Amino acid sequence: MNTISTRTYRDKYRQAVLDSALRNAMVAEKVCEVDRSDVKNIQNPYHGQPTATVQALAGTYTVSSFTTTNQSLDVDDEVIYAEHILDFEESLSRFDLFASRFDELSYAVAIAIDKWVLNNLLEDGTGTYTTPVGGFTTASNINVIMSNLISKVAGYADMYKGLYLVIENTDIPGFIQAQATNGFSFADAALKNGFMTNYMGVDVYVVRTGTFVDEAATTVSGTKTWTNLSHRVFGVKNVTTYAAPRGIKFEEKQVTLKTGVELVVYGYVGFRAWFQKTALTVDITLA
């Protein structure tokens, strides 16, 4: 049974609409390539990496075999939420209740997709790194960790696309302390402007604690299985792809035996860390 606060009927409000809940930042679109087209399957045939031979002048050579492997991104999960708003709840409200709820429902679906993509990104990357004891919360570790992470992908042509690091909010203390003590100009900027979003040329994104988790085919992970608790992710931007065909959709439905309408918000998602580039995504284990 739906319930509605008596404050909804008052003549004056602190805000014109219902106060929105605290919202988490969304990161996936900043580090992955996004495909919102309605194609049913994204293909990526790839072949083996050739290695040239250096030899004394001879004019002869050996012929190597050539093979092609097919890889694809399939959209096989959906993110969805629905609820029913009775007509009297909307008719007696002095603000647009439907618009407010659609906004909240759309955000709930979007943040679930963001978490789903980030965990799949971390799960599928083949690069690995274990931090010194204390992880990111220890200021003296930050420069060591960042230099080691950069070395994992340095020298590859894809580095021009930019580097990223995704941490949880509980990791920030070590970063802030390191920023405030490393070099005059850098420390000065950090002290004046607060947490800096770029460190050693790496874009640092912060998500809320509980983003990286262990899940096995649940209502959080869909068809996927993750083992990401106490892990973070680093890598090169735009070398992985997540598909969200036609973006987030919504529907209003009239339901028999009930006044008002049923609200449904949903989206389809698929993810692929392409085989040739998986080493450019590094799974960080916190020690």
Side-chain angles (χ1 to χ4, degrees):
M1 179 63 184
N2 289 5
T3 59
I4 193 165
S5 169
T6 55
R7 293 179 181 273
T8 304
Y9 306 129
R10 292 186 176 181
D11 290 335
K12 292 182 180 180
Y13 298 91
R14 188 176 66 84
Q15 288 186 307
V17 296
L18 283 174
D19 201 11
S20 296
L22 287 172
R23 295 191 170 186
N24 296 351
M26 287 181 281
V27 175
E29 293 194 15
K30 298 178 176 65
V31 300
C32 299
E33 180 183 70
V34 186
D35 188 297
R36 289 195 176 85
S37 66
D38 58 359
V39 296
K40 302 301 184 291
N41 193 276
I42 300 175
Q43 300 288 345
N44 179 38
Y46 64 90
H47 47 76
Q49 180 66 40
T51 301
T53 297
V54 180
Q55 63 184 26
L57 290 172
T60 59
Y61 55 85
T62 57
V63 179
S64 301
S65 60
F66 171 78
T67 58
T68 299
T69 304
N70 290 323
Q71 188 180 33
S72 63
L73 189 164
D74 298 316
V75 176
D76 47 18
D77 284 277
E78 67 179 1
V79 182
I80 192 166
Y81 183 82
E83 63 187 22
H84 191 98
I85 296 181
L86 299 172
D87 182 72
F88 77 85
E89 294 177 324
E90 169 64 13
S91 298
L92 299 180
S93 296
R94 296 186 181 274
F95 53 84
D96 192 339
L97 185 62
F98 281 102
S100 177
R101 291 310 295 166
F102 262 133
D103 181 55
E104 291 295 330
L105 268 61
S106 297
Y107 167 74
V109 169
I111 200 65
I113 292 174
D114 196 68
K115 182 173 181 175
W116 187 88
V117 171
L118 287 176
N119 275 278
N120 280 302
L121 176 69
L122 178 53
E123 189 69 29
D124 293 350
T126 58
T128 59
Y129 176 71
T130 301
T131 69
V133 175
F136 293 104
T137 59
T138 302
S140 59
N141 287 347
I142 300 300
N143 286 350
V144 175
I145 293 172
M146 296 303 291
S147 59
N148 285 332
L149 289 175
I150 293 170
S151 73
K152 293 282 185 178
V153 299
Y156 286 119
D158 292 271
M159 273 194 67
Y160 78 90
K161 296 179 180 179
L163 304 177
Y164 70 88
L165 170 67
V166 184
I167 58 175
E168 293 187 352
N169 60 289
T170 52
D171 300 315
I172 286 181
F175 265 99
I176 293 178
Q177 294 169 38
Q179 288 173 341
T181 56
N182 282 301
F184 175 76
S185 61
F186 188 75
D188 189 51
L191 290 168
K192 285 182 178 179
N193 304 319
F195 180 64
M196 299 181 66
T197 57
N198 187 283
Y199 197 98
M200 292 186 179
V202 178
D203 290 334
V204 181
Y205 299 101
V206 180
V207 294
R208 295 297 300 175
T209 184
T211 296
F212 298 114
V213 293
D214 293 344
E215 297 286 345
T218 66
T219 55
V220 174
S221 62
T223 63
K224 311 300 183 183
T225 296
W226 309 324
T227 53
N228 296 334
L229 189 64
S230 298
H231 289 245
R232 305 294 184 261
V233 63
F234 165 86
V236 176
K237 292 182 177 181
N238 299 322
V239 296
T240 58
T241 302
Y242 92 80
R246 298 184 180 179
I248 295 175
K249 305 176 185 178
F250 61 87
E251 296 178 2
E252 293 184 17
K253 301 177 180 179
Q254 291 185 331
V255 180
T256 184
L257 302 181
K258 287 186 178 182
T259 63
V261 295
E262 185 176 275
L263 308 179
V264 185
V265 180
Y266 59 96
Y268 307 117
V269 287
F271 176 84
R272 174 65 73 178
W274 303 109
F275 177 79
Q276 313 95 303
K277 309 289 185 180
T278 55
L280 298 181
T281 300
V282 180
D283 180 345
I284 304 169
T285 301
L286 301 180

